[in-house]
Amino acid sequence: MPVYQYQGYRSDGGAATGIIDAENVKVARLKLRKEGVYPTDVVEQGHTPSRSQEATRSRIERFGSRSATLTATNLALLTRQFATLLVAGLPLVDALSVLVDQAEKKPIKSLLADIREQVRGGKALSAILETYEKDFSQIYVHMVRAGEASGALDQILFRLAEFLEKQLALRNKVTNAMLYPLLMLVIGSVILFFLITFVVPKITLVFTQQKQALPWPTVALMSVSQFFADYWMLLVGLLLGSLYALQRFIRTGAGRMTMDRLILKLPLIGDVARMVSISRLTSTLATMLASGVQLLDAMDVSKRVMNNRVLEATVETARQNIREGETIADPLKRSGQFPALVTHMIAVGEKSGEMEEMLRRVSQIYDGEVERVIARLTSLMEPIMILAMGAVVLFIVVAILLPIFEMGQMIR
């Protein structure tokens, strides 16, 4: 029976190290938890991870230039079908053959066929998937590797499919909620720009020919209209140039950190961004821990789904502190970036030994909060945008009608 060397901490926060014999890594982790030890690292004695990492790195470099083939929707559906076939008792190669036959798009069919042939050649599925880094994330690879080690690949694939579907639903929810206000803003801005730049000058030309004193709203409208009419190409160029410069700035490490910090400070929008990041982190971490992935590896991978460098740095700091023997909740609490509810529930999970369940509950809570805040945000944005556009249109109408009324009174 294999012997594993472990590092972790006990429920009272004290560090724990030693060795334990078990059938596999997952069984070793379960044994340790029954003994009141929460493992952060479990390594089989004689295992050399550095060589494995070097081999993985070489595969990634060799296949990193391939473009992504699978969309998020395709990956979630493919994973669920794969899990169903394995549960039905099909061998791995046969299950991949069925997926190849079912694939309708040629790029997906080629990808699956290539994976099948490498499996036939004796390679581990997780090692193969790791070479397709643009199609299969590190979360996916780690969970498949855990499934191979535990002998429960079919069940872990089911759990992975549920996780992917949940993440896809959350992303679609946020995107769909913000799509309508953004569409209104773009269409309204284009219409107002067209009115002020091309329509208003033709109407106000009549007033300038009359050579009479004009009311201040009309003068202001004519000045703005003349400015846009004369410099609209320059303004469009400045806008595009600013967007390009902003994109280049965000691509830098310092720029991305600055932008992410600014987003977190924005009212409402910052709350939504923080809650989405926390939901992604806790959901991913719960899924990976439940699948047998080691805590430090799970945190290292999970932090990357947060899509916010500030929060990622906080999780990385917590991960380093855990390596030195601290609990998870304490460094997260000290950072001030995570709400008290999150750190409290994580602390309870650590003490009770039900970390995965607590993380899953946190994810569910924040999924509901995201829905509530997005509904509130969109309900506020729509009337504000309508009122703002109405105010601008009203100003234009009043500025045009006032001189007409004055001309009518002069004729009388």
Side-chain angles (χ1 to χ4, degrees):
M1 184 176 291
V3 177
Y4 296 89
Q5 185 174 359
Y6 68 87
Q7 293 180 349
Y9 57 89
R10 302 186 183 278
S11 58
D12 59 0
T17 59
I19 59 174
I20 189 173
D21 58 337
E23 297 175 358
N24 51 56
V25 174
K26 186 175 182 180
V27 174
R29 288 169 59 88
L30 291 174
K31 281 187 175 182
L32 289 171
R33 290 194 185 182
K34 288 180 180 179
E35 296 176 3
V37 176
Y38 196 92
T40 58
D41 195 16
V42 180
V43 179
E44 183 178 355
Q45 287 191 340
H47 180 61
T48 55
S50 59
R51 293 180 181 178
S52 172
Q53 291 172 356
E54 290 177 1
T56 297
R57 194 176 299 114
S58 65
R59 284 193 294 269
I60 291 175
E61 290 175 355
R62 188 167 67 252
F63 293 95
S65 60
R66 296 189 179 189
S67 58
T69 302
L70 297 171
T71 64
T73 303
N74 290 335
L75 182 59
L77 179 60
L78 183 66
T79 303
R80 183 164 291 280
Q81 292 174 341
F82 196 13
T84 303
L85 292 170
L86 292 179
V87 168
L90 270 70
L92 186 59
V93 174
D94 292 344
L96 287 169
S97 297
V98 173
L99 293 177
V100 171
D101 294 336
Q102 289 182 347
E104 297 179 357
K105 297 182 179 179
K106 188 175 180 181
I108 297 178
K109 187 182 289 290
S110 299
L111 172 67
L112 294 174
D114 188 27
I115 294 173
R116 180 188 59 187
E117 294 308 312
Q118 293 186 61
V119 170
R120 281 178 176 169
K123 290 186 179 179
L125 179 62
S126 58
I128 299 168
L129 298 182
E130 196 168 17
T131 61
Y132 299 95
E133 60 176 358
K134 295 183 179 179
D135 292 298
F136 301 97
S137 65
Q138 286 296 307
I139 299 170
Y140 203 104
V141 173
H142 273 72
M143 290 184 65
V144 169
R145 184 176 291 121
E148 291 173 332
S150 63
L153 181 59
D154 51 354
Q155 297 302 321
I156 287 182
L157 284 174
F158 266 124
R159 192 176 292 130
L160 185 56
E162 292 175 358
F163 166 75
L164 293 173
E165 290 164 357
K166 180 182 177 182
Q167 294 295 310
L168 183 62
L170 179 62
R171 187 181 68 181
N172 290 339
K173 198 176 296 179
V174 175
T175 302
N176 293 338
M178 301 303 297
L179 185 60
Y180 177 67
L182 289 175
L183 189 61
M184 283 186 59
L185 178 63
V186 171
I187 294 176
S189 300
V190 171
I191 292 174
L192 290 177
F193 180 80
F194 178 76
L195 285 174
I196 293 175
T197 306
F198 299 102
V199 178
V200 171
K202 295 182 180 179
I203 298 176
T204 55
L205 182 62
V206 179
F207 304 147
T208 57
Q209 292 175 348
Q210 295 296 324
K211 296 181 180 181
Q212 66 177 26
L214 299 173
W216 72 264
T218 307
V219 175
L221 178 64
M222 291 175 62
S223 300
V224 172
S225 176
Q226 188 65 41
F227 177 79
F228 275 95
D230 292 341
Y231 301 105
W232 70 270
M233 293 184 66
L234 177 62
L235 293 173
V236 172
L238 287 174
L239 177 62
L240 295 177
S242 300
L243 291 176
Y244 177 75
L246 179 62
Q247 184 182 27
R248 292 290 301 270
F249 176 67
I250 293 175
R251 287 181 177 178
T252 64
R256 178 68 184 275
M257 182 69 76
T258 301
M259 183 61 63
D260 288 344
R261 187 177 291 111
L262 177 62
I263 289 174
L264 292 176
K265 292 180 180 179
L266 292 175
L268 284 180
I269 295 176
D271 293 337
V272 173
R274 189 184 303 275
M275 286 187 290
V276 169
S277 295
I278 292 174
S279 175
R280 287 176 173 175
L281 172 69
T282 52
S283 176
T284 306
L285 196 55
T287 304
M288 296 189 73
L289 290 178
S291 302
V293 180
Q294 298 177 15
L295 176 61
L296 294 179
D297 291 339
M299 291 186 69
D300 184 43
V301 176
S302 299
K303 71 181 182 181
R304 303 174 193 177
V305 305
M306 299 182 77
N307 200 28
N308 187 289
R309 293 290 179 87
V310 177
L311 298 179
E312 287 177 22
T314 301
V315 175
E316 177 59 27
T317 301
R319 181 172 171 268
Q320 297 301 327
N321 292 337
I322 292 168
R323 190 188 296 275
E324 297 172 2
E326 277 200 71
T327 63
I328 303 176
D330 289 342
L332 294 180
K333 185 177 181 179
R334 287 197 303 267
S335 70
Q337 295 291 346
F338 286 78
L341 173 65
V342 178
T343 56
H344 178 72
M345 292 188 70
I346 289 177
V348 171
E350 289 178 300
K351 292 178 181 179
S352 64
E354 297 181 355
M355 176 65 74
E356 296 92 340
E357 180 61 26
M358 284 300 175
L359 289 170
R360 194 171 290 110
R361 290 183 185 179
V362 171
S363 176
Q364 292 173 351
I365 290 171
Y366 276 90
D367 282 348
E369 284 295 305
V370 167
E371 279 192 58
R372 184 184 63 80
V373 175
I374 286 178
R376 178 185 172 194
L377 183 62
T378 52
S379 64
L380 286 174
M381 288 181 64
E382 291 177 17
I384 289 175
M385 292 174 62
I386 292 173
L387 287 174
M389 292 175 60
V392 174
V393 172
L394 178 63
F395 177 80
I396 294 174
V397 172
V398 170
I400 292 174
L401 291 181
L402 279 177
I404 295 176
F405 290 153
E406 291 181 0
M407 291 171 60
Q409 290 177 356
M410 291 176 59
I411 293 175
R412 291 180 183 178

